[in-house]
């Protein structure tokens, strides 16, 4: 059966991958973004109804993170509008080990909608499409929590899981936890990237406060500084976030992407060979 599906955050790390996969499968995909028509804007709930109108299902990605103030209210409003517009099902992208995100999960679970929750560990793509790319380009990765062992997950794997559970009602009411196949420290992932790229990239452990001060000095907004401080201290410091899950293998029938596989395919894109950005 083909569906009309709203992909909120359809230009983001997982969203554009989900949109591409669903489109290839023959579903009718609407991108939920401020620039799309109809527009979708988390900061303007009046846009929710038009974006959801005519949709059967929706993939929900809250930007910048479910932990930030206002997320609970926005998710509550969205699910209310989705129920009113007659959606059959929603899939929420959540964060593994995030207590605040679990509150939003409960809102979705109690909304009256069919749903699945996809809880993700930290993304591999943070090093190639996100906040840490400039560090790799500069050859100097200064990050806190050197002792944290993180089962980094690949965005392609997340998207494949989301795309499947969105259209397969067998997963209704389930929480799927997506991680990579092994735990790695920041020092280990930086070493793997350096070897794959073929250039020196050093890891320097710093305190969370030093990291936050560096972000402030770079001119990043206070909300961004707070969020990353929270993600390092509360999320990476949470023992639950350092547990490997095998849900990807159970849902997709294949193993999760190893970090070295991610490095190899990213090297081929050339993204790590560009000039260092001037913003940092």
């Amino acid at each position: 059966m083909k569906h009309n599906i709203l992909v909120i955050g359809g230009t983001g790390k997982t969203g554009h991958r989900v949109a591409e996969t669903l489109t290839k499968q023959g579903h009718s995909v609407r991108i939920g973004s401020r620039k799309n028509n109809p527009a979708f804007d988390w900061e303007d709930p009046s846009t929710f109804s038009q974006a959801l109108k005519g949709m059967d299902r929706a993939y929900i990605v809250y930007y910048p993170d479910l932990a930030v103030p206002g997320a609970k209210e926005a998710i509550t409003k969205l699910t209310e509008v989705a129920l009113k517009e007659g959606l059959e099902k929603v899939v929420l992208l959540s964060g593994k080990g995030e207590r605040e995100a679990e509150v939003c999960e409960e809102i979705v679970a109690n909304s009256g909608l069919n749903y699945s929750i996809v809880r993700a560990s930290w993304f591999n793509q943070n090093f190639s499409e996100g906040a840490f790319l400039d560090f790799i380009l500069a050859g100097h990765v200064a990050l806190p929590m050197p002792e944290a062992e993180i089962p980094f997950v690949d965005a392609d794997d997340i998207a494949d899981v989301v795309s499947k559970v969105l259209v397969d009602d067998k997963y209704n009411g389930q929480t799927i936890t997506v991680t990579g196949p092994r735990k790695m420290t920041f020092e280990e992932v930086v070493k793997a990237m350096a070897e794959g790229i073929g250039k020196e990239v050093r890891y320097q452990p710093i305190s969370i406060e030093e990291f936050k001060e560096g972000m402030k000095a770079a001119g990043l907004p206070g909300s961004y500084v707070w969020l990353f401080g929270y993600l390092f201290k509360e999320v990476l410091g949470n023992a639950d976030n350092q547990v490997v899950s095998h849900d990807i293998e159970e849902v997709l029938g294949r193993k999760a992407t190893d970090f070295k596989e991610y490095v190899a395919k990213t090297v081929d894109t050339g993204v790590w060979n560009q000039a260092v950005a001037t913003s940092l």
Side-chain angles (χ1 to χ4, degrees), residues 151-187:
F152 288 96
V153 64
D154 199 84
D156 287 344
D157 288 351
I158 301 172
D160 286 349
V161 168
V162 168
S163 298
K164 182 165 184 177
V165 302
L166 251 175
V167 300
D168 190 340
D169 290 336
K170 178 175 72 175
Y171 298 98
N172 286 6
Q174 293 190 26
T175 296
I176 295 104
T177 301
V178 290
T179 75
R182 60 186 171 124
K183 299 183 289 185
M184 300 178 72
T185 63
F186 282 122
E187 185 172 16

Side-chain angles (χ1 to χ4, degrees), residues 133 137 197 263-275:
L133 171 59
L137 298 179
I197 300 166
V263 170
K265 68 182 179 183
T266 304
V267 165
D268 289 341
T269 70
V271 68
W272 285 327
N273 295 326
Q274 60 185 303

Side-chain angles (χ1 to χ4, degrees), residues 182 184 186-198 201 258-260 263-264 267 272:
R182 60 186 171 124
M184 300 178 72
F186 282 122
E187 185 172 16
E188 288 171 336
V189 296
V190 169
K191 181 180 179 182
M193 285 183 285
E195 291 175 351
I197 300 166
V201 185
D258 186 78
F259 193 83
K260 287 192 174 181
V263 170
V267 165
W272 285 327

Side-chain angles (χ1 to χ4, degrees), residues 41-180:
D41 186 350
W42 278 115
E43 296 181 3
D44 184 2
S46 69
T47 64
F48 294 178
S49 182
Q50 277 300 114
L52 287 164
K53 193 173 295 294
M55 296 293 101
D56 304 317
R57 306 189 175 210
Y59 175 43
I60 304 173
V61 179
Y62 184 80
Y63 182 83
D65 192 272
L66 290 173
V68 305
K72 294 188 291 291
E73 293 78 8
I75 295 295
T76 299
K77 180 63 175 178
L78 181 74
T79 55
E80 289 172 352
V81 175
L83 194 63
K84 183 178 178 181
E85 291 295 340
L87 266 73
E88 301 166 356
K89 181 178 181 179
V90 297
V91 172
L92 175 71
L93 180 66
S94 186
K96 186 172 183 284
E98 286 190 43
R99 300 307 181 200
E100 284 76 4
E102 290 173 13
V103 174
C104 292
E105 293 176 12
E106 291 174 8
I107 292 169
V108 172
N110 296 323
S111 67
L113 293 160
N114 288 320
Y115 73 93
S116 297
I117 306 294
V118 176
R119 276 187 195 157
S121 186
W122 277 39
F123 297 4
N124 294 342
Q125 280 72 13
N126 286 338
F127 296 102
S128 53
E129 300 174 24
F132 306 146
L133 171 59
D134 285 334
F135 297 159
I136 305 302
L137 298 179
H140 181 213
V141 181
L143 293 173
M145 300 297 291
E147 71 281 3
E149 295 181 312
I150 309 157
F152 288 96
V153 64
D154 199 84
D156 287 344
D157 288 351
I158 301 172
D160 286 349
V161 168
V162 168
S163 298
K164 182 165 184 177
V165 302
L166 251 175
V167 300
D168 190 340
D169 290 336
K170 178 175 72 175
Y171 298 98
N172 286 6
Q174 293 190 26
T175 296
I176 295 104
T177 301
V178 290
T179 75

